């Protein structure tokens, strides 16, 4: 099941907060459906739970007869079409929400959002009708796909007025308007507000997991870089010593206190400074080894004929 479908299932289990809220939610579902005018009231959704909720709420609230049928949409995905088929019933539904059904441009009628609790219910309805949310493993993005420009602007304005900061954007895609929210925190805030705290939590957990993973990657990169540095220092030392040996001068030209370390380094290119120090007699500290290796390298490079 897609993440969107999971979110819709969770939203459909949400009990309206107050008695005023079902009207707002039902309005959100119908207004953001496929059509909402005297010629047709319908919405299409791939979520069975959303279709059932829309049909039930519309019937209970307005008394209209609501039909639900299944159609095959893209790639043979079954979808449900919820519609009010009778002309008089449609007028009844439109009246109930304060619309004539003959509006040239369909706008959000704020009278249906009676109290401060209602925008959340309205957005839940709109999301059930036209919303998608990207799987948080891929991205943090929630969208309302709206066929009408003015409605998309009304939606963005409403999202902007909420007590949480959502920074909604509107873009155009294939003749529709997409109202979108980006970012783990904001998507999660909106899901919580609409009534899907479980999905919101999932997003925040994914964000944390990703942050930990990035931190580990950075750490690993840092360690790899350090290893490279060590390896290139050792390579330079061995190259210098090799030059000394190739020239026939041999390690004997080095001062006595450096010879043992030079031989150890030459024979053990993979050892760290600490490990080299432990092999010396008497043992030498890491910084002591470092210092002497520098002298060895400089001398070897200079003494090489
Ligand atoms: Zn309310």
């Amino acid at each position: 099941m897609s993440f969107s479908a999971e979110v819709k299932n969770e939203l459909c289990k949400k009990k309206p907060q107050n008695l005023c809220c079902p009207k707002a939610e039902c309005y959100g579902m119908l207004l953001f459906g496929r059509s909402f005018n005297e010629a047709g009231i319908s919405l299409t959704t791939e979520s069975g739970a959303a279709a059932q909720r829309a049909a039930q709420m519309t019937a209970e609230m307005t008394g209209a007869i609501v039909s639900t049928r299944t159609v095959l949409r893209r790639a043979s995905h079954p979808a449900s079409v919820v519609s009010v088929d009778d002309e008089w019933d449609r007028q009844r539904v439109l009246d109930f929400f304060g619309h004539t059904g003959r509006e040239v441009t369909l706008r959000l009628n704020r009278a249906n959002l009676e109290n401060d609790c209602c925008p959340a219910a309205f957005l839940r309805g709109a999301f059930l009708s036209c919303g998608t949310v990207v799987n948080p493993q891929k991205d943090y993005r929630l969208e309302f796909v709206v066929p009408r420009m003015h409605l998309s602007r009304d939606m963005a304005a409403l999202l902007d007025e909420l007590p949480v900061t959502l920074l909604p954007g509107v873009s155009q895609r294939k003749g529709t308007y997409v109202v979108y929210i980006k970012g783990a925190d904001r998507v999660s805030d909106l899901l919580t507000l609409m009534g899907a705290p479980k999905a919101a939590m999932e997003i925040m957990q994914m964000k944390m997991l990703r942050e930990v993973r990035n931190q580990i990657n950075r750490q690993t990169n840092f360690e790899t870089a350090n290893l490279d540095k060590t390896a290139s220092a050792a390579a330079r030392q061995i190259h210098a010593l090799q030059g000394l040996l190739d020239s026939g001068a041999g390690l004997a030209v080095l001062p006595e206190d450096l010879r043992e370390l030079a031989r150890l380094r030459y024979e053990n290119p993979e050892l760290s400074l600490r490990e080299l120090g432990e092999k010396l007699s008497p043992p030498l500290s890491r910084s002591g080894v470092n210092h002497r290796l520098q002298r060895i390298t400089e001398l070897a490079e200079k003494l090489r004929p």
Side-chain angles (χ1 to χ4, degrees), residues 3-23:
F3 188 66
S4 268
E6 270 177 49
V7 169
K8 287 182 184 181
N9 280 349
E10 189 184 353
L11 288 175
C12 285
K13 292 187 186 115
K14 168 84 182 166
K15 300 239 180 336
Q17 196 182 340
N18 294 309
L19 285 174
C20 49
C21 297
K23 184 179 185 182

Side-chain angles (χ1 to χ4, degrees), residues 14-302:
K14 168 84 182 166
K15 300 239 180 336
Q17 196 182 340
N18 294 309
L19 285 174
C20 49
C21 297
K23 184 179 185 182
E25 181 175 342
C26 187
Y27 181 54
M29 290 197 271
L30 297 179
L31 187 66
F32 286 92
R34 179 182 293 257
S35 49
F36 188 68
N37 56 52
E38 59 179 2
I41 294 178
S42 73
L43 65 91
T44 306
T45 173
E46 285 178 15
S47 161
Q52 200 186 351
R53 189 164 169 108
Q56 195 178 345
M57 276 190 156
T58 308
E60 278 174 7
M61 212 151 302
T62 66
I65 294 171
V66 183
S67 73
T68 307
R69 62 181 201 282
T70 307
V71 292
L72 286 183
R73 275 217 299 194
R74 56 179 177 89
S76 303
H77 275 289
S80 301
V81 179
V82 178
S83 60
V84 179
D85 299 329
D86 179 78
E87 193 182 331
W88 295 104
D89 274 345
R90 278 200 294 274
Q91 207 53 57
R92 189 201 292 231
V93 173
L94 291 161
D95 284 348
F96 183 77
F97 292 112
H99 283 266
T100 63
R102 293 181 296 277
E103 292 95 345
V104 179
T105 49
L106 197 54
R107 303 298 301 256
L108 165 60
N109 178 6
R110 295 264 182 159
N112 292 311
L113 316 181
E114 287 175 38
N115 299 301
D116 289 347
C117 48
C118 295
F122 173 77
L123 290 168
R124 177 167 61 244
F127 183 83
L128 287 172
S129 205
C130 74
T132 56
V133 56
V134 179
N135 189 316
Q137 287 180 339
K138 292 185 192 135
D139 198 2
Y140 310 116
R141 186 178 170 98
L142 186 151
E143 295 181 349
F144 298 91
V145 181
V146 188
R148 300 172 194 89
M149 183 182 69
H150 287 94
L151 264 189
S152 71
R153 286 189 191 160
D154 290 347
M155 164 75 88
L158 182 71
L159 288 166
D160 241 348
E161 290 166 25
L162 296 172
V164 287
T165 306
L166 297 171
L167 307 178
V170 183
S171 65
Q172 257 181 292
R173 186 195 298 155
K174 292 184 206 155
T176 63
Y177 297 84
V178 179
V179 183
Y180 60 86
I181 307 288
K182 289 194 301 186
D185 297 50
R186 292 191 278 270
V187 170
S188 168
D189 281 349
L190 180 55
L191 286 173
T192 305
L193 183 105
M194 292 192 302
K198 251 175 64 188
M201 184 77 83
E202 223 174 294
I203 290 185
M204 291 318 281
Q205 276 167 349
M206 184 56 67
K207 185 191 170 196
M208 268 186 331
L209 189 70
R210 192 166 287 164
E211 278 169 1
V212 169
R213 220 180 269 154
N214 285 346
Q215 206 177 338
I216 290 172
N217 279 345
R218 272 200 298 277
Q219 185 91 27
T220 311
N221 289 344
F222 178 71
E223 278 162 11
T224 310
N226 267 350
L227 273 179
D228 283 349
K229 241 163 74 186
T230 312
S232 67
R236 184 180 162 215
Q237 291 150 12
I238 287 165
H239 181 74
L241 290 169
Q242 186 69 54
L244 211 55
L245 290 169
D246 289 349
S247 72
L251 301 182
V253 293
L254 293 170
E256 202 181 337
D257 64 323
L258 297 179
R259 268 179 233 158
E260 191 193 356
L261 178 59
R263 185 184 52 77
L264 267 176
R265 167 44 92 207
Y266 184 72
E267 288 168 359
N268 304 283
E270 76 289 353
L271 290 188
S272 69
L273 299 183
R274 190 178 305 284
E275 287 163 334
L276 284 172
E278 282 163 4
K279 277 186 178 292
L280 287 171
S281 52
L284 198 63
S285 72
R286 186 184 172 284
S287 66
V289 169
N290 189 34
H291 183 68
R292 287 188 189 193
L293 276 175
Q294 276 175 20
R295 275 179 60 208
I296 290 171
T297 310
E298 282 163 21
L299 275 172
E301 283 170 353
K302 202 159 69 181

